[in-house]
């Protein structure tokens, strides 16, 4: 009985481990508050009354629940045009990035490619040394892509870092025996890539989609350099003019002035546009989260 009772007793952690766990939980809790509170404050302020935001009465929950800022945003043609442009840039740019990254990473991951180390080194060289902004601008001008959507999409065609991550994933996750078996069945490289490699690469594809989509969604510099037509401006460029340059189109400010003061609406619009601009990325992440951690760990650590 004594032995059985002793075996049933739980093994207690040392006091030092308990102290460490408590300190760890406290630290993680504080880190979570530091990261989460600004997000909570932005969402609460965007739904609050403009006068309450100016007086600093908003701390955690909305004060005087209002939808004035969101009504002003969705009724403004400039912001909605920028929203649509960002969606187009993100979707088309991500598709182009995936195609170029996959077509580059797959041959570099194959041992039978002669000189793949030299080719990989040439790609990596561009990570440290590039032609610069002026040659890129001249190239876009010679290609007659200036002031078009394709200038924004093509200028970020491939990320060498993401390509190396994907190459490492393919090298470490797909054994060479599968390639040999596919060759014995009469498959060519294109068939192997489409029917075998891509279905087995869902984790790293999810990582690439998230990386590229977030980059395209937050990018405004390429549109600022290569486009001058306001109709081609992405949402982030419109957001930049609102938050950094403190500019709002006359139509938006005039309609907002009838509801609250201009300064109050400036504050509400800042917070509301940040929320609106973040929603697509927040909606994308849950769909790729299942594969995200696995793809990052395998693609970055191994190989």
């Amino acid at each position: 009985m004594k032995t059985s009772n002793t075996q049933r007793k739980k093994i207690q952690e040392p006091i030092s481990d308990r102290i460490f766990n408590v300190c760890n939980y406290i630290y993680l809790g504080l880190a979570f508050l530091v990261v989460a509170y600004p997000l909570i404050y932005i969402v609460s302020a965007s739904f609050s009354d403009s006068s309450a935001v100016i007086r600093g009465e908003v701390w955690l929950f909305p004060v005087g629940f209002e939808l004035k800022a969101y009504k002003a945003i969705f009724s403004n043609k400039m912001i909605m045009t920028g929203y649509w442009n960002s969606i187009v840039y993100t979707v088309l740019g991500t598709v182009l990035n995936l195609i170029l990254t996959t077509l580059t990473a797959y041959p570099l991951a194959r041992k039978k490619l002669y000189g793949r180390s030299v080719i990989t080194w040439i790609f990596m060289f561009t990570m440290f040394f590039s032609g610069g902004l002026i040659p890129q601008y001249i190239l876009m001008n010679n290609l007659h892509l200036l002031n078009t959507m394709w200038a924004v999409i093509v200028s970020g065609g491939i990320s060498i870092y993401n390509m190396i991550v994907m190459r490492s994933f393919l090298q470490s996750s797909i054994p060479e025996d599968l390639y040999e078996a596919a060759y014995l069945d009469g498959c060519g490289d294109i068939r192997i890539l489409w029917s075998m490699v891509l279905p087995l690469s869902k984790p790293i594809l999810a990582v690439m989609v998230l990386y590229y989509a977030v980059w395209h969604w937050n990018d405004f510099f390429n549109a600022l350099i290569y486009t001058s037509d306001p109709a081609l401006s992405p949402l982030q460029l419109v957001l930049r003019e609102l938050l950094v340059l403190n500019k709002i189109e006359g139509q938006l400010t005039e309609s907002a002035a009838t509801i609250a003061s201009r300064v109050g609406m400036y504050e509400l619009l800042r917070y509301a546009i940040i929320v609106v601009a973040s929603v697509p990325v927040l909606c994308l992440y849950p769909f790729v989260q299942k594969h995200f951690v696995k793809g990052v760990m395998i693609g970055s650590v191994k190989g």
Side-chain angles (χ1 to χ4, degrees):
M1 291 294 294
K2 291 182 179 180
T3 304
S4 60
N5 291 334
T6 303
Q7 293 176 349
R8 292 177 182 177
K9 290 182 179 180
K10 295 182 179 179
I11 301 177
Q12 296 183 352
E13 294 181 342
I15 297 178
S16 59
D17 289 348
R18 294 183 184 180
I19 296 175
F20 173 79
N21 290 333
V22 171
C23 294
N24 196 21
Y25 284 127
I26 294 174
Y27 169 76
L28 293 176
L30 293 176
F32 173 78
L33 292 177
V34 170
V35 174
Y37 178 73
L39 302 177
I40 297 174
Y41 175 80
I42 289 173
V43 175
S44 299
S46 67
F47 288 103
S48 299
D49 182 70
S50 58
S51 59
V53 174
I54 295 175
R55 292 193 300 267
E57 298 177 357
V58 180
W59 288 91
L60 188 61
F61 299 103
V63 177
F65 187 83
E66 295 283 354
L67 295 175
K68 296 182 294 186
Y70 291 96
K71 292 178 181 178
I73 288 174
F74 290 109
S75 63
N76 182 262
K77 183 179 296 186
M78 180 190 68
I79 296 178
M80 296 310 298
T81 300
Y83 208 98
W84 171 251
N85 290 338
S86 290
I87 294 175
V88 173
Y89 292 145
T90 301
V91 173
L92 295 181
T94 303
V95 171
L96 178 64
N97 294 146
L98 286 178
I99 294 175
L100 296 179
T101 303
T102 303
L103 293 180
T104 306
Y106 170 71
L108 292 178
R110 300 300 311 278
K111 295 181 179 180
K112 70 174 188 176
L113 178 65
Y114 179 76
R116 62 173 185 158
S117 299
V118 177
I119 298 175
T120 302
W121 183 87
I122 294 175
F123 276 108
M124 293 182 63
F125 181 83
T126 62
M127 297 176 63
F128 305 99
F129 303 96
S130 63
L133 180 60
I134 295 177
Q136 291 180 7
Y137 186 88
I138 295 175
L139 176 63
M140 291 297 171
N141 186 33
N142 293 336
L143 294 175
H144 304 288
L145 294 178
L146 290 182
N147 212 27
T148 65
M149 279 191 167
W150 291 108
V152 180
I153 296 172
V154 173
S155 58
I158 186 173
S159 168
I160 304 303
Y161 172 80
N162 291 342
M163 185 273 294
I164 294 174
V165 171
M166 189 170 188
R167 185 210 61 176
S168 301
F169 177 90
L170 297 179
Q171 285 180 335
S172 60
S173 301
I174 302 179
E176 197 67 25
D177 294 341
L178 288 179
Y179 294 113
E180 298 297 334
Y183 284 129
L184 291 176
D185 290 336
C187 296
D189 285 314
I190 297 179
R191 179 67 182 276
I192 292 174
L193 175 63
W194 180 260
S195 300
M196 186 184 76
V197 175
L198 292 182
L200 295 176
S201 303
K202 291 180 180 179
I204 196 63
L205 290 176
V207 174
M208 295 296 105
V209 167
L210 188 61
Y211 279 177
Y212 281 124
V214 171
W215 181 81
H216 280 290
W217 184 261
N218 292 327
D219 179 53
F220 71 90
F221 184 76
N222 287 328
L224 180 65
I225 297 299
Y226 301 124
T227 62
S228 58
D229 188 359
L232 299 176
S233 297
L235 179 62
Q236 302 303 329
L237 190 56
V238 178
L239 182 63
R240 171 185 174 272
E241 294 188 356
L242 177 62
L243 298 182
V244 179
L245 303 181
N246 200 20
K247 293 168 57 179
I248 300 180
E249 289 292 322
Q251 178 184 356
L252 184 58
T253 55
E254 290 174 1
S255 61
T258 61
I259 302 175
S261 65
R262 177 174 296 187
V263 176
M265 280 304 299
Y266 279 167
E267 295 297 324
L268 285 184
L269 288 170
R270 286 192 182 102
Y271 298 129
I273 291 180
I274 291 174
V275 173
V276 171
S278 303
V279 166
V281 177
L282 295 177
C283 293
L284 174 65
Y285 183 75
F287 295 99
V288 300
Q289 188 271 340
K290 181 175 65 174
H291 304 292
F292 182 75
V293 176
K294 179 181 178 182
V296 169
M297 294 301 293
I298 296 178
S300 300
V301 177
K302 294 185 179 180

